[in-house]
Amino acid sequence: MGKYILKRVAVSVLTLFVLITVVFALVRLMPGDPFSGEKMTPEIRANLEAYYGLDKPLLEQYITYVKNLLRGDFGYSMKYLNRTVNDIIASSFPYSIDLGMRALALSISMGLVFGILSARYRGKKLDFICIVIAILGTSIPDFIMGALLQYFFGIQWGLFPVAQYQGIQYTILPSIALGFYTLAMVSRLMRASMLEVVTQDYIKTAKSDGISNVRIVWKHQIRNAIMPVVTVLGPVVATTLTGTFVIESIFAIPGMGKFYVESVQKLDYSLVLGMTVFYGGFLILANLIVDILYGVIDPRIRLAGK
Amino acid sequence: MENSQKPEEILLDINNLTFSFHTYGGVVKAVRGVSFQVKKGEIVGIVGESGCGKSVTAQCILKLNPEPPGFFEDGSIRYKGEEIVTKSDREMRKIRGMEIGFIFQDPMTSLNPTMRVGKQIEEVFVGRPEVSKAEAKRRAIEMLKLVGISDAERRYSQYPHELSGGMKQRVMIARALVGKPGIIIADEPTTSLDVTIEAQILDLLKQLQKELGTSIIFITHDLGVIAKLCDRVLVMYGGKVMERGSVRDIFYRTGHPYTHGLMHSVPRLDISKDTELEPIEGTPPDLFAPPAGCPFAARCEYAMKVCYEAQPPEFPLEEGHASACWLKHPDAPPVEWADGGKGGEA
């Protein structure tokens, strides 16, 4: 197991390094630069470029950037005066991660429950309800879902605040809007997986041993059925966290989404780079955790990783 | 047919067992009036081709057939005098594993891939307060040793994918035996193993049966396995028992054309290699609409008019040997098996 984890960590670090390099190059390939504008004079431009080190050769800039990164320094933003990228991330990331985690926790837990119930009561009313929820979840885009929730729960029934992010009651609607798609996907996957496991020989073996139905479901069915769900967790975390951009703007939440979009539009090199690396690093970490989790749940993976 | 035995020796008494399945196409009559008994310490073989009802019969004993769509139409299964057919699932749990163990056909898929094998053996004791956890573990390891797994302590904490096929089947046997059941039902336990491993597993079963005094119901389509292992044999076809008797009766005093056909469709070492195998022509009966007469009549070269019209009762031949064939009726014409004189030599 130790070797397996070490291998996954090494691959993750390499991935992060490739990401930094590629994004660094891509940002510079974009047409235009951060300082173009009507009032820009050559002198000011030269001063700014010297200030940000943009006048040096690209390779030197890259080396300096990586060196600073290793010390955890993302540099200064080129558009927000006197604000470092670290500062911007530190102020906005807590909102995004809070929303993302709530949405993930809600969607994965409820998705699993719906999937298991759906499979246990296959063909019954409960199964039908779960299927309808799953179909709605996969077919309604999250921005429409967000608007619908705001309209009904916020405006019509007045149950929850319509927008902003100031307390627990504010978090509910955006979490649902963001997590609904994932919930639907997890529940469909879990249902199919449970139905497949039920037909496996080892379930009959367990039954022939006189094991109770409850224990068969918990120890034999769910443990084996959850494997395909764990596999998609990596991509699911990615879609949920990137999905926060849209949801944040609908619910007026001061998360990273706004800064990210603006930084690309305004070619704020250091902010684009910083946010991408930060986000990328976060997703790579999520995938690493999923990989390790996978090894914990399925002993066969551990063996293959030796 | 075994009236001479004292009743207390009989562990399992199955009488006129009839089990069917509801399907989209109608009701499939999988088992049609099967009766037999299992005595303490004996090995009963059930032999027949695919779809003859042998597995369904075996699974009825532990009520492992899914109900619905399956259902008991008639008959009784008595284990130590207790009726099984009417027991609830909760009551059955006391019998499964502890009183009657079950070994399945394919050890590759019959073990949970995400659970350590030791835990899977111990699971038999879960929810049985009379056996402590430490005791369960001790018995699991003891049982692993008994089924011939070396280094049992290490194997105990391994996962199924770390074991070979033969070893997995040994684990399955350990699992079936750990509750010290009176009867083990082995449903084609060696079919998916290669022949050398098959021989080892059969030896193991026979040895364990002697050591522990457990009765075994052994289900197979392989007559060679029957000859090697069993005391008594039931030959099943179309959901019914065609012939029953001791291994000697079945092999040397064959009393049913179907049994005869089965034996002559198997390759043998003691016949010339120029002799062609004789397949049984035709296909098994349609169990959606079982024939009115003998299920084998349509494929039987000796079939008479009566065979198509009425189901033959079991005619006793010798002590403990009976055949459900109209040819054994006192008024039937005597028949010599058309097999080139190879029917019954040693």
PDB file of all heavy atoms in Angstrom, chain A residues 201-202 204-205 207-213 215 220 223-224 299-300, chain B residues 59 64 93 96-97 109-110 112-114 123 126 128 159 161 172 175:
ATOM      1  N   ASP A 201     -22.640 -14.333  -7.570  1.00  0.00           N
ATOM      2  CA  ASP A 201     -22.657 -15.604  -6.845  1.00  0.00           C
ATOM      3  C   ASP A 201     -22.390 -15.440  -5.352  1.00  0.00           C
ATOM      4  O   ASP A 201     -22.964 -16.128  -4.531  1.00  0.00           O
ATOM      5  CB  ASP A 201     -21.610 -16.556  -7.434  1.00  0.00           C
ATOM      6  CG  ASP A 201     -22.029 -17.069  -8.797  1.00  0.00           C
ATOM      7  OD1 ASP A 201     -23.222 -16.940  -9.124  1.00  0.00           O
ATOM      8  OD2 ASP A 201     -21.172 -17.590  -9.531  1.00  0.00           O
ATOM      9  N   TYR A 202     -21.482 -14.497  -5.014  1.00  0.00           N
ATOM     10  CA  TYR A 202     -21.113 -14.422  -3.596  1.00  0.00           C
ATOM     11  C   TYR A 202     -22.251 -13.925  -2.720  1.00  0.00           C
ATOM     12  O   TYR A 202     -22.233 -14.124  -1.504  1.00  0.00           O
ATOM     13  CB  TYR A 202     -19.833 -13.600  -3.379  1.00  0.00           C
ATOM     14  CG  TYR A 202     -19.831 -12.217  -3.967  1.00  0.00           C
ATOM     15  CD1 TYR A 202     -20.470 -11.174  -3.317  1.00  0.00           C
ATOM     16  CD2 TYR A 202     -19.180 -11.951  -5.156  1.00  0.00           C
ATOM     17  CE1 TYR A 202     -20.447  -9.904  -3.851  1.00  0.00           C
ATOM     18  CE2 TYR A 202     -19.156 -10.684  -5.697  1.00  0.00           C
ATOM     19  CZ  TYR A 202     -19.797  -9.661  -5.037  1.00  0.00           C
ATOM     20  OH  TYR A 202     -19.781  -8.402  -5.564  1.00  0.00           O
ATOM     21  N   LYS A 204     -25.302 -15.109  -3.095  1.00  0.00           N
ATOM     22  CA  LYS A 204     -25.981 -16.371  -2.804  1.00  0.00           C
ATOM     23  C   LYS A 204     -25.185 -17.165  -1.763  1.00  0.00           C
ATOM     24  O   LYS A 204     -25.755 -17.789  -0.880  1.00  0.00           O
ATOM     25  CB  LYS A 204     -26.139 -17.191  -4.090  1.00  0.00           C
ATOM     26  CG  LYS A 204     -27.304 -18.158  -4.017  1.00  0.00           C
ATOM     27  CD  LYS A 204     -27.713 -18.625  -5.401  1.00  0.00           C
ATOM     28  CE  LYS A 204     -29.174 -19.001  -5.403  1.00  0.00           C
ATOM     29  NZ  LYS A 204     -29.660 -19.381  -6.718  1.00  0.00           N
ATOM     30  N   THR A 205     -23.855 -17.111  -1.893  1.00  0.00           N
ATOM     31  CA  THR A 205     -23.022 -17.787  -0.895  1.00  0.00           C
ATOM     32  C   THR A 205     -23.322 -17.236   0.490  1.00  0.00           C
ATOM     33  O   THR A 205     -23.517 -17.988   1.443  1.00  0.00           O
ATOM     34  CB  THR A 205     -21.524 -17.563  -1.197  1.00  0.00           C
ATOM     35  OG1 THR A 205     -21.281 -17.824  -2.566  1.00  0.00           O
ATOM     36  CG2 THR A 205     -20.666 -18.456  -0.342  1.00  0.00           C
ATOM     37  N   LYS A 207     -25.945 -15.787   1.495  1.00  0.00           N
ATOM     38  CA  LYS A 207     -27.283 -16.205   1.916  1.00  0.00           C
ATOM     39  C   LYS A 207     -27.255 -17.645   2.431  1.00  0.00           C
ATOM     40  O   LYS A 207     -27.885 -17.964   3.428  1.00  0.00           O
ATOM     41  CB  LYS A 207     -28.253 -16.073   0.734  1.00  0.00           C
ATOM     42  CG  LYS A 207     -29.691 -15.947   1.172  1.00  0.00           C
ATOM     43  CD  LYS A 207     -30.617 -15.729  -0.006  1.00  0.00           C
ATOM     44  CE  LYS A 207     -32.046 -15.989   0.427  1.00  0.00           C
ATOM     45  NZ  LYS A 207     -32.960 -16.152  -0.695  1.00  0.00           N
ATOM     46  N   SER A 208     -26.481 -18.486   1.742  1.00  0.00           N
ATOM     47  CA  SER A 208     -26.431 -19.891   2.145  1.00  0.00           C
ATOM     48  C   SER A 208     -25.712 -20.060   3.478  1.00  0.00           C
ATOM     49  O   SER A 208     -25.787 -21.110   4.093  1.00  0.00           O
ATOM     50  CB  SER A 208     -25.736 -20.728   1.073  1.00  0.00           C
ATOM     51  OG  SER A 208     -24.336 -20.563   1.150  1.00  0.00           O
ATOM     52  N   ASP A 209     -24.980 -19.024   3.921  1.00  0.00           N
ATOM     53  CA  ASP A 209     -24.321 -19.077   5.218  1.00  0.00           C
ATOM     54  C   ASP A 209     -25.239 -18.631   6.349  1.00  0.00           C
ATOM     55  O   ASP A 209     -24.825 -18.573   7.496  1.00  0.00           O
ATOM     56  CB  ASP A 209     -23.088 -18.153   5.222  1.00  0.00           C
ATOM     57  CG  ASP A 209     -21.884 -18.850   4.624  1.00  0.00           C
ATOM     58  OD1 ASP A 209     -21.968 -20.068   4.419  1.00  0.00           O
ATOM     59  OD2 ASP A 209     -20.876 -18.183   4.367  1.00  0.00           O
ATOM     60  N   GLY A 210     -26.460 -18.250   6.001  1.00  0.00           N
ATOM     61  CA  GLY A 210     -27.397 -17.829   7.031  1.00  0.00           C
ATOM     62  C   GLY A 210     -27.146 -16.421   7.526  1.00  0.00           C
ATOM     63  O   GLY A 210     -27.457 -16.095   8.664  1.00  0.00           O
ATOM     64  N   ILE A 211     -26.549 -15.569   6.695  1.00  0.00           N
ATOM     65  CA  ILE A 211     -26.282 -14.186   7.090  1.00  0.00           C
ATOM     66  C   ILE A 211     -27.548 -13.363   6.867  1.00  0.00           C
ATOM     67  O   ILE A 211     -28.270 -13.564   5.891  1.00  0.00           O
ATOM     68  CB  ILE A 211     -25.103 -13.628   6.270  1.00  0.00           C
ATOM     69  CG1 ILE A 211     -23.850 -14.438   6.602  1.00  0.00           C
ATOM     70  CG2 ILE A 211     -24.883 -12.151   6.543  1.00  0.00           C
ATOM     71  CD1 ILE A 211     -22.745 -14.269   5.623  1.00  0.00           C
ATOM     72  N   SER A 212     -27.796 -12.407   7.782  1.00  0.00           N
ATOM     73  CA  SER A 212     -29.037 -11.643   7.692  1.00  0.00           C
ATOM     74  C   SER A 212     -29.026 -10.734   6.469  1.00  0.00           C
ATOM     75  O   SER A 212     -27.974 -10.331   5.983  1.00  0.00           O
ATOM     76  CB  SER A 212     -29.221 -10.805   8.950  1.00  0.00           C
ATOM     77  OG  SER A 212     -28.265  -9.768   8.971  1.00  0.00           O
ATOM     78  N   ASN A 213     -30.209 -10.409   5.999  1.00  0.00           N
ATOM     79  CA  ASN A 213     -30.331  -9.574   4.802  1.00  0.00           C
ATOM     80  C   ASN A 213     -29.673  -8.219   4.979  1.00  0.00           C
ATOM     81  O   ASN A 213     -29.029  -7.712   4.072  1.00  0.00           O
ATOM     82  CB  ASN A 213     -31.807  -9.379   4.447  1.00  0.00           C
ATOM     83  CG  ASN A 213     -32.354 -10.588   3.726  1.00  0.00           C
ATOM     84  OD1 ASN A 213     -31.615 -11.288   3.035  1.00  0.00           O
ATOM     85  ND2 ASN A 213     -33.629 -10.857   3.912  1.00  0.00           N
ATOM     86  N   ARG A 215     -27.132  -7.414   6.854  1.00  0.00           N
ATOM     87  CA  ARG A 215     -25.685  -7.561   6.769  1.00  0.00           C
ATOM     88  C   ARG A 215     -25.242  -7.842   5.336  1.00  0.00           C
ATOM     89  O   ARG A 215     -24.201  -7.361   4.897  1.00  0.00           O
ATOM     90  CB  ARG A 215     -25.220  -8.688   7.693  1.00  0.00           C
ATOM     91  CG  ARG A 215     -23.716  -8.706   7.867  1.00  0.00           C
ATOM     92  CD  ARG A 215     -23.265  -9.801   8.803  1.00  0.00           C
ATOM     93  NE  ARG A 215     -21.863 -10.077   8.559  1.00  0.00           N
ATOM     94  CZ  ARG A 215     -20.860  -9.450   9.170  1.00  0.00           C
ATOM     95  NH1 ARG A 215     -21.118  -8.536  10.055  1.00  0.00           N
ATOM     96  NH2 ARG A 215     -19.611  -9.759   8.882  1.00  0.00           N
ATOM     97  N   HIS A 220     -21.783  -6.923   1.904  1.00  0.00           N
ATOM     98  CA  HIS A 220     -21.457  -7.576   0.641  1.00  0.00           C
ATOM     99  C   HIS A 220     -21.882  -6.764  -0.571  1.00  0.00           C
ATOM    100  O   HIS A 220     -21.144  -6.670  -1.536  1.00  0.00           O
ATOM    101  CB  HIS A 220     -22.091  -8.972   0.586  1.00  0.00           C
ATOM    102  CG  HIS A 220     -21.534  -9.905   1.603  1.00  0.00           C
ATOM    103  ND1 HIS A 220     -20.454 -10.717   1.355  1.00  0.00           N
ATOM    104  CD2 HIS A 220     -21.883 -10.140   2.878  1.00  0.00           C
ATOM    105  CE1 HIS A 220     -20.169 -11.417   2.442  1.00  0.00           C
ATOM    106  NE2 HIS A 220     -21.024 -11.087   3.379  1.00  0.00           N
ATOM    107  N   ARG A 223     -20.477  -2.464  -0.340  1.00  0.00           N
ATOM    108  CA  ARG A 223     -19.019  -2.389  -0.443  1.00  0.00           C
ATOM    109  C   ARG A 223     -18.554  -2.668  -1.879  1.00  0.00           C
ATOM    110  O   ARG A 223     -17.643  -2.029  -2.383  1.00  0.00           O
ATOM    111  CB  ARG A 223     -18.403  -3.404   0.526  1.00  0.00           C
ATOM    112  CG  ARG A 223     -16.912  -3.538   0.449  1.00  0.00           C
ATOM    113  CD  ARG A 223     -16.242  -2.447   1.246  1.00  0.00           C
ATOM    114  NE  ARG A 223     -14.810  -2.488   1.052  1.00  0.00           N
ATOM    115  CZ  ARG A 223     -13.956  -3.003   1.909  1.00  0.00           C
ATOM    116  NH1 ARG A 223     -14.390  -3.526   3.028  1.00  0.00           N
ATOM    117  NH2 ARG A 223     -12.666  -2.986   1.651  1.00  0.00           N
ATOM    118  N   ASN A 224     -19.171  -3.639  -2.521  1.00  0.00           N
ATOM    119  CA  ASN A 224     -18.761  -3.956  -3.887  1.00  0.00           C
ATOM    120  C   ASN A 224     -19.401  -3.032  -4.914  1.00  0.00           C
ATOM    121  O   ASN A 224     -18.809  -2.740  -5.941  1.00  0.00           O
ATOM    122  CB  ASN A 224     -19.117  -5.418  -4.212  1.00  0.00           C
ATOM    123  CG  ASN A 224     -18.159  -6.382  -3.553  1.00  0.00           C
ATOM    124  OD1 ASN A 224     -16.996  -6.448  -3.906  1.00  0.00           O
ATOM    125  ND2 ASN A 224     -18.640  -7.101  -2.569  1.00  0.00           N
ATOM    126  N   PRO A 299      -9.092  -4.285  -2.532  1.00  0.00           N
ATOM    127  CA  PRO A 299      -7.761  -4.843  -2.296  1.00  0.00           C
ATOM    128  C   PRO A 299      -7.042  -5.228  -3.586  1.00  0.00           C
ATOM    129  O   PRO A 299      -5.823  -5.276  -3.612  1.00  0.00           O
ATOM    130  CB  PRO A 299      -8.048  -6.081  -1.442  1.00  0.00           C
ATOM    131  CG  PRO A 299      -9.497  -6.378  -1.633  1.00  0.00           C
ATOM    132  CD  PRO A 299     -10.150  -5.060  -1.897  1.00  0.00           C
ATOM    133  N   ARG A 300      -7.789  -5.486  -4.663  1.00  0.00           N
ATOM    134  CA  ARG A 300      -7.141  -5.913  -5.906  1.00  0.00           C
ATOM    135  C   ARG A 300      -6.310  -4.790  -6.519  1.00  0.00           C
ATOM    136  O   ARG A 300      -5.311  -5.026  -7.179  1.00  0.00           O
ATOM    137  CB  ARG A 300      -8.189  -6.388  -6.916  1.00  0.00           C
ATOM    138  CG  ARG A 300      -8.739  -7.751  -6.563  1.00  0.00           C
ATOM    139  CD  ARG A 300      -9.951  -8.085  -7.381  1.00  0.00           C
ATOM    140  NE  ARG A 300     -11.077  -7.212  -7.032  1.00  0.00           N
ATOM    141  CZ  ARG A 300     -12.297  -7.394  -7.479  1.00  0.00           C
ATOM    142  NH1 ARG A 300     -12.553  -8.376  -8.291  1.00  0.00           N
ATOM    143  NH2 ARG A 300     -13.265  -6.587  -7.116  1.00  0.00           N
TER     144      ARG A 300
ATOM    145  N   GLN B  59     -31.149 -26.448  -4.075  1.00  0.00           N
ATOM    146  CA  GLN B  59     -31.357 -25.129  -3.476  1.00  0.00           C
ATOM    147  C   GLN B  59     -32.680 -25.049  -2.720  1.00  0.00           C
ATOM    148  O   GLN B  59     -32.824 -24.218  -1.821  1.00  0.00           O
ATOM    149  CB  GLN B  59     -31.270 -24.045  -4.552  1.00  0.00           C
ATOM    150  CG  GLN B  59     -29.875 -24.027  -5.168  1.00  0.00           C
ATOM    151  CD  GLN B  59     -29.594 -22.766  -5.968  1.00  0.00           C
ATOM    152  OE1 GLN B  59     -30.293 -21.782  -5.851  1.00  0.00           O
ATOM    153  NE2 GLN B  59     -28.552 -22.806  -6.772  1.00  0.00           N
ATOM    154  N   LEU B  64     -33.010 -21.496  -1.189  1.00  0.00           N
ATOM    155  CA  LEU B  64     -32.174 -20.476  -1.819  1.00  0.00           C
ATOM    156  C   LEU B  64     -32.713 -20.049  -3.178  1.00  0.00           C
ATOM    157  O   LEU B  64     -32.225 -19.090  -3.762  1.00  0.00           O
ATOM    158  CB  LEU B  64     -30.740 -20.989  -2.000  1.00  0.00           C
ATOM    159  CG  LEU B  64     -29.924 -21.184  -0.726  1.00  0.00           C
ATOM    160  CD1 LEU B  64     -28.574 -21.787  -1.042  1.00  0.00           C
ATOM    161  CD2 LEU B  64     -29.743 -19.860  -0.007  1.00  0.00           C
ATOM    162  N   ARG B  93     -32.416 -18.991   8.535  1.00  0.00           N
ATOM    163  CA  ARG B  93     -31.046 -18.548   8.801  1.00  0.00           C
ATOM    164  C   ARG B  93     -30.369 -19.404   9.855  1.00  0.00           C
ATOM    165  O   ARG B  93     -29.157 -19.541   9.875  1.00  0.00           O
ATOM    166  CB  ARG B  93     -31.058 -17.073   9.218  1.00  0.00           C
ATOM    167  CG  ARG B  93     -30.934 -16.163   8.010  1.00  0.00           C
ATOM    168  CD  ARG B  93     -31.183 -14.730   8.329  1.00  0.00           C
ATOM    169  NE  ARG B  93     -30.547 -14.326   9.560  1.00  0.00           N
ATOM    170  CZ  ARG B  93     -30.985 -13.328  10.314  1.00  0.00           C
ATOM    171  NH1 ARG B  93     -32.060 -12.660   9.944  1.00  0.00           N
ATOM    172  NH2 ARG B  93     -30.371 -13.008  11.405  1.00  0.00           N
ATOM    173  N   ARG B  96     -29.292 -22.535   7.711  1.00  0.00           N
ATOM    174  CA  ARG B  96     -28.235 -22.289   6.727  1.00  0.00           C
ATOM    175  C   ARG B  96     -26.883 -22.142   7.412  1.00  0.00           C
ATOM    176  O   ARG B  96     -26.741 -21.394   8.368  1.00  0.00           O
ATOM    177  CB  ARG B  96     -28.531 -21.006   5.948  1.00  0.00           C
ATOM    178  CG  ARG B  96     -29.751 -21.121   5.065  1.00  0.00           C
ATOM    179  CD  ARG B  96     -30.011 -19.795   4.358  1.00  0.00           C
ATOM    180  NE  ARG B  96     -31.278 -19.849   3.646  1.00  0.00           N
ATOM    181  CZ  ARG B  96     -32.093 -18.807   3.514  1.00  0.00           C
ATOM    182  NH1 ARG B  96     -31.773 -17.642   4.040  1.00  0.00           N
ATOM    183  NH2 ARG B  96     -33.223 -18.934   2.848  1.00  0.00           N
ATOM    184  N   GLY B  97     -25.906 -22.854   6.912  1.00  0.00           N
ATOM    185  CA  GLY B  97     -24.556 -22.720   7.452  1.00  0.00           C
ATOM    186  C   GLY B  97     -24.320 -23.566   8.684  1.00  0.00           C
ATOM    187  O   GLY B  97     -23.298 -24.210   8.809  1.00  0.00           O
ATOM    188  N   THR B 109     -16.206 -16.900  -8.460  1.00  0.00           N
ATOM    189  CA  THR B 109     -17.182 -15.822  -8.271  1.00  0.00           C
ATOM    190  C   THR B 109     -17.983 -15.972  -6.983  1.00  0.00           C
ATOM    191  O   THR B 109     -18.797 -15.122  -6.670  1.00  0.00           O
ATOM    192  CB  THR B 109     -18.164 -15.772  -9.446  1.00  0.00           C
ATOM    193  OG1 THR B 109     -18.791 -17.056  -9.552  1.00  0.00           O
ATOM    194  CG2 THR B 109     -17.462 -15.457 -10.744  1.00  0.00           C
ATOM    195  N   SER B 110     -17.753 -17.059  -6.250  1.00  0.00           N
ATOM    196  CA  SER B 110     -18.596 -17.310  -5.081  1.00  0.00           C
ATOM    197  C   SER B 110     -18.038 -16.731  -3.792  1.00  0.00           C
ATOM    198  O   SER B 110     -18.637 -16.863  -2.740  1.00  0.00           O
ATOM    199  CB  SER B 110     -18.830 -18.813  -4.904  1.00  0.00           C
ATOM    200  OG  SER B 110     -19.556 -19.305  -6.003  1.00  0.00           O
ATOM    201  N   ASN B 112     -16.680 -13.184  -1.896  1.00  0.00           N
ATOM    202  CA  ASN B 112     -16.732 -11.731  -1.992  1.00  0.00           C
ATOM    203  C   ASN B 112     -15.317 -11.178  -2.201  1.00  0.00           C
ATOM    204  O   ASN B 112     -14.453 -11.373  -1.354  1.00  0.00           O
ATOM    205  CB  ASN B 112     -17.346 -11.186  -0.696  1.00  0.00           C
ATOM    206  CG  ASN B 112     -17.500  -9.682  -0.715  1.00  0.00           C
ATOM    207  OD1 ASN B 112     -16.927  -8.997  -1.560  1.00  0.00           O
ATOM    208  ND2 ASN B 112     -18.283  -9.169   0.203  1.00  0.00           N
ATOM    209  N   PRO B 113     -15.073 -10.479  -3.329  1.00  0.00           N
ATOM    210  CA  PRO B 113     -13.707 -10.042  -3.638  1.00  0.00           C
ATOM    211  C   PRO B 113     -13.156  -8.984  -2.690  1.00  0.00           C
ATOM    212  O   PRO B 113     -11.949  -8.779  -2.648  1.00  0.00           O
ATOM    213  CB  PRO B 113     -13.822  -9.478  -5.062  1.00  0.00           C
ATOM    214  CG  PRO B 113     -15.257  -9.144  -5.225  1.00  0.00           C
ATOM    215  CD  PRO B 113     -16.019 -10.116  -4.383  1.00  0.00           C
ATOM    216  N   THR B 114     -14.003  -8.316  -1.922  1.00  0.00           N
ATOM    217  CA  THR B 114     -13.501  -7.235  -1.075  1.00  0.00           C
ATOM    218  C   THR B 114     -13.472  -7.615   0.407  1.00  0.00           C
ATOM    219  O   THR B 114     -13.379  -6.755   1.263  1.00  0.00           O
ATOM    220  CB  THR B 114     -14.352  -5.962  -1.236  1.00  0.00           C
ATOM    221  OG1 THR B 114     -15.697  -6.282  -0.893  1.00  0.00           O
ATOM    222  CG2 THR B 114     -14.295  -5.426  -2.642  1.00  0.00           C
ATOM    223  N   GLU B 123     -18.048 -15.494   8.976  1.00  0.00           N
ATOM    224  CA  GLU B 123     -19.372 -14.868   8.866  1.00  0.00           C
ATOM    225  C   GLU B 123     -20.505 -15.799   9.232  1.00  0.00           C
ATOM    226  O   GLU B 123     -21.565 -15.355   9.644  1.00  0.00           O
ATOM    227  CB  GLU B 123     -19.579 -14.362   7.435  1.00  0.00           C
ATOM    228  CG  GLU B 123     -19.246 -12.905   7.274  1.00  0.00           C
ATOM    229  CD  GLU B 123     -20.079 -12.279   6.193  1.00  0.00           C
ATOM    230  OE1 GLU B 123     -20.238 -12.916   5.147  1.00  0.00           O
ATOM    231  OE2 GLU B 123     -20.579 -11.176   6.404  1.00  0.00           O
ATOM    232  N   VAL B 126     -21.740 -14.968  12.536  1.00  0.00           N
ATOM    233  CA  VAL B 126     -22.248 -13.629  12.851  1.00  0.00           C
ATOM    234  C   VAL B 126     -23.734 -13.730  13.211  1.00  0.00           C
ATOM    235  O   VAL B 126     -24.493 -14.426  12.547  1.00  0.00           O
ATOM    236  CB  VAL B 126     -22.053 -12.668  11.660  1.00  0.00           C
ATOM    237  CG1 VAL B 126     -22.837 -11.385  11.891  1.00  0.00           C
ATOM    238  CG2 VAL B 126     -20.586 -12.373  11.484  1.00  0.00           C
ATOM    239  N   ARG B 128     -24.794 -15.150  15.858  1.00  0.00           N
ATOM    240  CA  ARG B 128     -25.023 -16.349  16.683  1.00  0.00           C
ATOM    241  C   ARG B 128     -24.238 -16.155  17.970  1.00  0.00           C
ATOM    242  O   ARG B 128     -23.045 -16.427  18.037  1.00  0.00           O
ATOM    243  CB  ARG B 128     -24.572 -17.599  15.947  1.00  0.00           C
ATOM    244  CG  ARG B 128     -25.247 -17.722  14.581  1.00  0.00           C
ATOM    245  CD  ARG B 128     -24.893 -19.002  13.887  1.00  0.00           C
ATOM    246  NE  ARG B 128     -24.947 -18.850  12.443  1.00  0.00           N
ATOM    247  CZ  ARG B 128     -26.046 -19.022  11.714  1.00  0.00           C
ATOM    248  NH1 ARG B 128     -27.167 -19.366  12.294  1.00  0.00           N
ATOM    249  NH2 ARG B 128     -26.017 -18.865  10.412  1.00  0.00           N
ATOM    250  N   TYR B 159      -6.986 -11.881   0.613  1.00  0.00           N
ATOM    251  CA  TYR B 159      -8.221 -11.680  -0.153  1.00  0.00           C
ATOM    252  C   TYR B 159      -8.338 -12.781  -1.209  1.00  0.00           C
ATOM    253  O   TYR B 159      -7.330 -13.361  -1.623  1.00  0.00           O
ATOM    254  CB  TYR B 159      -8.196 -10.308  -0.819  1.00  0.00           C
ATOM    255  CG  TYR B 159      -8.394  -9.187   0.155  1.00  0.00           C
ATOM    256  CD1 TYR B 159      -7.306  -8.525   0.709  1.00  0.00           C
ATOM    257  CD2 TYR B 159      -9.669  -8.797   0.541  1.00  0.00           C
ATOM    258  CE1 TYR B 159      -7.482  -7.499   1.624  1.00  0.00           C
ATOM    259  CE2 TYR B 159      -9.857  -7.778   1.433  1.00  0.00           C
ATOM    260  CZ  TYR B 159      -8.768  -7.124   1.983  1.00  0.00           C
ATOM    261  OH  TYR B 159      -8.958  -6.118   2.884  1.00  0.00           O
ATOM    262  N   HIS B 161      -8.552 -12.844  -4.359  1.00  0.00           N
ATOM    263  CA  HIS B 161      -7.751 -12.788  -5.580  1.00  0.00           C
ATOM    264  C   HIS B 161      -6.312 -13.225  -5.354  1.00  0.00           C
ATOM    265  O   HIS B 161      -5.566 -13.405  -6.298  1.00  0.00           O
ATOM    266  CB  HIS B 161      -7.789 -11.372  -6.170  1.00  0.00           C
ATOM    267  CG  HIS B 161      -7.073 -10.354  -5.330  1.00  0.00           C
ATOM    268  ND1 HIS B 161      -7.702  -9.642  -4.349  1.00  0.00           N
ATOM    269  CD2 HIS B 161      -5.787  -9.952  -5.323  1.00  0.00           C
ATOM    270  CE1 HIS B 161      -6.827  -8.832  -3.766  1.00  0.00           C
ATOM    271  NE2 HIS B 161      -5.655  -8.997  -4.336  1.00  0.00           N
ATOM    272  N   MET B 172     -14.120 -22.373   0.175  1.00  0.00           N
ATOM    273  CA  MET B 172     -15.576 -22.548   0.133  1.00  0.00           C
ATOM    274  C   MET B 172     -15.987 -23.763   0.964  1.00  0.00           C
ATOM    275  O   MET B 172     -17.013 -23.745   1.643  1.00  0.00           O
ATOM    276  CB  MET B 172     -16.053 -22.729  -1.312  1.00  0.00           C
ATOM    277  CG  MET B 172     -16.009 -21.483  -2.164  1.00  0.00           C
ATOM    278  SD  MET B 172     -17.061 -20.173  -1.531  1.00  0.00           S
ATOM    279  CE  MET B 172     -18.679 -20.854  -1.862  1.00  0.00           C
ATOM    280  N   ARG B 175     -15.740 -22.939   4.543  1.00  0.00           N
ATOM    281  CA  ARG B 175     -16.863 -22.079   4.878  1.00  0.00           C
ATOM    282  C   ARG B 175     -18.139 -22.901   5.108  1.00  0.00           C
ATOM    283  O   ARG B 175     -18.909 -22.643   6.032  1.00  0.00           O
ATOM    284  CB  ARG B 175     -17.048 -21.127   3.705  1.00  0.00           C
ATOM    285  CG  ARG B 175     -18.035 -20.058   3.912  1.00  0.00           C
ATOM    286  CD  ARG B 175     -18.000 -19.144   2.706  1.00  0.00           C
ATOM    287  NE  ARG B 175     -19.051 -18.176   2.864  1.00  0.00           N
ATOM    288  CZ  ARG B 175     -19.010 -16.948   2.379  1.00  0.00           C
ATOM    289  NH1 ARG B 175     -17.996 -16.543   1.659  1.00  0.00           N
ATOM    290  NH2 ARG B 175     -20.004 -16.129   2.569  1.00  0.00           N
TER     291      ARG B 175
END
